[in-house]
Amino acid sequence: MKICIIGQGYIGLPTAALFSMNGCEVLGVDVNDEIVSNLNNGIVHIEEPGIAKIIKKAVENNTYHASLKPQKADAFIITVPTPYIVENYKCDLSYVIDACNSIIPYLEKGNIVIIESTIAPMSTDDIIKPIFEKEGFEIGKDLYLAHCPERVLPGQILDELVNNDRIIGGLTAECSKKASEVYSQFVKGKCMETEAKTAELSKCMENTFRDVNIALANELTKICAEIGVNALDVIKIANRHPRVNLHQPGPGVGGHCLAIDPYFIYAKSPENAKIIKLARDTNNSMPEFVCDYVHRIIPSGKIAVLGVSYKGNTGDDRESPAYKIIGNLLKDYEITICDPHIENTNFLSFEDAIENADLILILCDHDEFKEINYDLITEKMSNPIIFDTKDIIKNVPDGIKLYNYGNLYDLKN
Ligand code: SAJ
């Protein structure tokens, strides 16, 4: 089977890798010519375990090729960004629409078109289907159209693409069947065939469920800081209940998923999506909450920020709350940043970042920050204080003061 994948980012490239190592001939299309040329030399641009080796081998074996333009294929898979429009929270489908238009000249009867990008409910029916019908295709008869969102966790994408169940949202039953045949090349999980609109809303709800639960944990943290209870202990103890799973509070919610997908639902039904919107607002209030407590810990001075990625052990900083926090603190403090997962000439090593710092502010749970060199801290910081918003520092030696979401009450005005 020849497969053309439009968009070679965090999802498109791992997807291309798996098809290329399972008997398919894959063309990976991207608008970035540096990425295309690097890929054709077996050089990958995303930090995902295992991907570099697979792509290098696939290029050598001619089962993978990157290009700026699509070519004829049996199946076309679209994995391009779908940001939200800040003014109205709606899903920005412009990249998806451009990708659909880019494949039209290469489409033939019997082809399958799959949208993997996360899109707002009803998008496939109302916006994407007409694009192809306008070209004379009859969906479900001579062109098969489906929305098949991914649900992988960065850092374990290849494993989850293979083993997670897959939502197959065809516009018709025949569309779902054809799309399932495509994924059966490598998916070992169950291909759950359903309608496109059900697939769209299921995907958005998966991330909305998580965002709402994180908001509940963040709200609990605020309550505990106010009334004098250790929020981390409450979560730990409540979660011993067999059916309770309070999530972890943090400095906010980042990434291109949880911080965005709930808005797609809200935009469709703002009158009803009240919990969803409130959860988004609660999570978006955490950067201000963190800055408020930083001010209570030290009113001025130098802060060493550890971690700006949106979550631990990834170099992805999209929608990271860390940037909102740093932007706010820069008004009153000198800031240094250390993030071993992000290439940035302004970022420092741990040792340099903490030099003469008054506070270490942990905003990301990279493994590197879980084993901190306390001797270095006492050597480099005259009055070492750590504010850990990710609950990764379990105990500190005498002489170092640790604040986390369990003892903020000590800082109550
Ligand atoms: N976070 C918390 N507390 C928690 C869990 C996460 O504050 O208890 C924060 C993280 O620090 C991060 C954000 O939320 O800033 C998102 O973290 P995440 O662990 O949800 O990671 P994502 O966004 O990379 O992955 C999610 C996953 N969705 C679900 O778990 C329902 C993944 O399966 C999806 O495929 C992915 O979104 C996506 O691409 O949609």
Side-chain angles (χ1 to χ4, degrees):
M1 184 182 276
K2 177 162 182 182
I3 298 185
C4 178
I5 301 180
I6 315 293
Q8 289 295 277
Y10 286 88
I11 300 302
L13 188 59
T15 302
L18 286 166
F19 277 116
S20 68
M21 63 190 276
N22 283 281
C24 297
E25 185 195 339
V26 181
L27 180 78
V29 179
D30 203 283
V31 292
N32 183 314
D33 51 11
E34 191 185 350
I35 286 178
V36 167
S37 125
N38 283 340
L39 284 169
N40 284 325
N41 290 310
I43 301 161
V44 302
H45 54 288
I46 59 167
E47 182 193 343
E48 185 59 34
I51 190 85
K53 202 164 112 229
I54 297 171
I55 289 295
K56 191 167 181 315
K57 188 158 170 245
V59 168
E60 285 159 8
N61 299 344
N62 264 322
T63 55
Y64 175 83
H65 184 69
S67 164
L68 289 168
K69 284 165 65 75
Q71 290 172 7
K72 288 185 189 307
D74 301 303
F76 295 83
I77 297 177
I78 291 173
T79 56
V80 296
T82 47
Y84 78 100
I85 301 164
V86 177
E87 293 72 29
N88 57 22
Y89 303 105
K90 287 186 176 166
C91 175
D92 175 357
L93 282 169
S94 58
Y95 297 103
V96 172
I97 292 165
D98 288 350
C100 291
N101 289 326
S102 76
I103 63 173
I104 282 170
Y106 308 94
L107 283 179
E108 294 175 329
K109 286 186 185 300
N111 281 169
I112 303 151
V113 176
I114 293 168
I115 313 293
E116 283 201 6
S117 305
T118 302
I119 51 183
M122 306 311 294
S123 301
T124 310
D125 286 80
D126 298 349
I127 296 164
I128 294 162
K129 178 183 173 197
I131 294 173
F132 299 108
E133 288 179 323
K134 199 158 64 19
E135 301 300 321
F137 288 105
E138 194 181 341
I139 302 300
K141 291 275 181 306
D142 50 24
L143 188 73
Y144 303 96
L145 178 58
H147 170 57
C148 303
E150 45 69 34
R151 43 182 34 168
V152 297
L153 215 53
Q156 50 200 64
I157 290 179
L158 291 171
D159 172 64
E160 293 211 335
L161 279 175
V162 172
N163 295 304
N164 285 359
D165 291 348
R166 194 83 198 218
I167 304 175
I168 308 286
L171 270 183
T172 68
E174 188 58 20
C175 292
S176 295
K177 186 168 161 297
K178 293 284 185 185
S180 288
E181 285 165 14
V182 172
Y183 286 104
S184 64
Q185 309 293 320
F186 68 78
V187 172
K188 294 200 176 81
K190 183 175 176 340
C191 285
M192 303 177 290
E193 297 183 8
T194 183
E195 294 175 297
K197 57 189 172 184
T198 307
E200 290 157 344
L201 195 48
S202 301
K203 169 64 186 179
C204 288
M205 269 315 290
E206 288 166 4
N207 288 337
T208 299
F209 164 82
R210 191 161 168 80
D211 194 54
V212 167
N213 278 281
I214 294 165
L216 186 61
N218 285 329
E219 185 167 275
L220 169 67
T221 299
K222 292 184 172 183
I223 293 164
C224 288
E226 175 68 26
I227 65 173
V229 178
N230 184 318
L232 302 177
D233 288 348
V234 169
I235 291 167
K236 219 174 283 150
I237 289 166
N239 282 349
R240 298 295 298 160
H241 185 292
R243 288 176 298 287
V244 171
N245 175 28
L246 282 168
H247 286 32
Q248 294 307 310
V253 166
H256 53 298
C257 317
L258 272 65
I260 292 175
D261 301 355
Y263 286 132
F264 295 168
I265 301 175
Y266 171 71
K268 279 285 172 196
S269 181
E271 283 314 302
N272 293 305
K274 298 191 186 309
I275 293 173
I276 291 173
K277 181 63 167 52
L278 182 58
R280 285 279 68 240
D281 295 343
T282 303
N283 289 331
N284 285 342
S285 77
M286 293 313 283
E288 190 184 335
F289 175 80
V290 168
C291 292
D292 172 30
Y293 276 89
V294 166
H295 279 97
R296 296 183 197 206
I297 296 169
I298 54 163
S300 62
K302 177 178 174 181
I303 300 173
V305 170
L306 301 191
V308 289
S309 302
Y310 82 88
K311 69 172 193 178
N313 305 326
T314 171
D316 188 347
D317 60 357
R318 287 177 287 180
E319 304 289 324
S320 172
Y323 290 126
K324 296 185 187 96
I325 292 168
I326 291 165
N328 187 319
L329 293 177
L330 272 171
K331 295 178 207 127
D332 302 310
Y333 301 88
E334 183 194 346
I335 303 281
T336 55
I337 299 171
C338 166
D339 191 315
H341 291 262
I342 296 182
E343 291 289 319
N344 183 317
T345 50
N346 298 318
F347 292 2
L348 304 176
S349 67
F350 175 75
E351 181 171 357
D352 293 343
I354 67 170
E355 179 85 40
N356 298 323
D358 302 291
L359 174 69
I360 290 175
L361 177 59
I362 298 176
L363 298 178
C364 181
D365 49 340
H366 290 322
D367 287 345
E368 291 86 345
F369 301 149
K370 292 173 183 170
E371 299 302 326
I372 279 194
N373 180 337
Y374 292 114
D375 294 339
L376 213 49
I377 288 178
T378 41
E379 181 199 322
K380 299 282 183 183
M381 295 172 71
S382 51
N383 173 28
I385 308 173
I386 299 173
F387 180 11
D388 169 18
T389 69
K390 295 297 289 185
D391 189 26
I392 56 174
I393 304 295
K394 294 306 171 194
N395 44 54
V396 291
D398 291 345
I400 298 178
K401 177 67 186 158
L402 171 66
Y403 289 106
N404 58 29
Y405 279 5
N407 63 3
L408 293 179
Y409 183 74
D410 298 347
L411 294 157
K412 191 166 157 57
N413 286 334

